[in-house]
Amino acid sequence: MTDDGLSKAFKKNGLEKFGMPGEKFDPNIHEALFEYPDPNVEAGNIGQVMKKGFMLNSRVLRPAEVGVVKAP
């Protein structure tokens, strides 16, 4: 099964991926692994995603492991 087909099956059953670069960091659904300065991205936003997170019917199954941008 391709990733696209698997993602459609997950979504159909209420499982969603989250944790994209540019999202605002939320400690309830994201796990910050590190901080780093980046002048091109607003501080407090996700700059890098190490592992995507998963939600099942709006409940976190696995938090997204991310790198957060800090003020330079």
Side-chain angles (χ1 to χ4, degrees):
M1 195 181 259
T2 65
D3 185 51
D4 188 44
L6 188 59
S7 293
K8 285 180 184 177
F10 284 164
K11 191 160 195 102
K12 179 181 174 185
N13 291 297
L15 187 70
E16 297 179 25
K17 290 182 184 180
F18 67 92
M20 302 299 254
E23 287 181 9
K24 189 75 174 163
F25 176 74
D26 180 354
N28 295 312
I29 62 172
H30 300 113
E31 182 178 349
L33 299 178
F34 56 91
E35 283 187 310
Y36 70 99
D38 187 348
N40 300 325
V41 182
E42 183 182 340
N45 285 354
I46 296 171
Q48 295 182 14
V49 178
M50 306 311 282
K51 287 185 183 176
K52 293 198 181 278
F54 290 94
M55 282 189 172
L56 179 61
N57 300 324
S58 300
R59 298 185 91 172
V60 176
L61 291 178
R62 181 176 84 181
E65 295 180 359
V66 299
V68 181
V69 177
K70 67 178 180 179

